[in-house]
Amino acid sequence: MTTLNDLAKIIRSKNSGPFELTFDVIFNDEETYRKVRDSGLLTPELFCRLYNIQIDQLVTFVWFDAANAFKATIIRPKDSGSFGERD
């Protein structure tokens, strides 16, 4: 089975302010990017299920053709710097 890690050259998460997290996936090449994008497998619903969040916690779910990349932003489970936050 091929994983996203096999297909992308960069997979990262980063702070997007104190209340949001952003996930970037940058693919190895345009062909791979288009295959993943056009497959319909990576959807907002799947992303939410994988991260155990509700759809209203998904702020952004975008494909960037010019960069061969995908980006999703979610509401942080805990505010940055709050008690119990693990960042």
Side-chain angles (χ1 to χ4, degrees), residues 49-79:
R49 194 167 56 243
L50 291 172
Y51 283 93
N52 196 29
I53 62 171
Q54 299 297 314
I55 196 76
D56 63 344
Q57 294 172 286
L58 182 62
V59 177
T60 306
F61 186 92
V62 184
W63 295 96
F64 287 108
D65 294 347
N68 296 326
F70 161 79
K71 179 180 291 251
T73 301
I74 65 169
I75 296 173
R76 292 177 73 105
K78 294 185 181 254
D79 298 347

Side-chain angles (χ1 to χ4, degrees), residues 15 17-21 53 57 74-87:
N15 290 332
F19 308 111
E20 297 177 349
L21 290 172
I53 62 171
Q57 294 172 286
I74 65 169
I75 296 173
R76 292 177 73 105
K78 294 185 181 254
D79 298 347
S80 179
S82 66
F83 183 77
E85 196 268 325
R86 301 183 295 168
D87 186 16

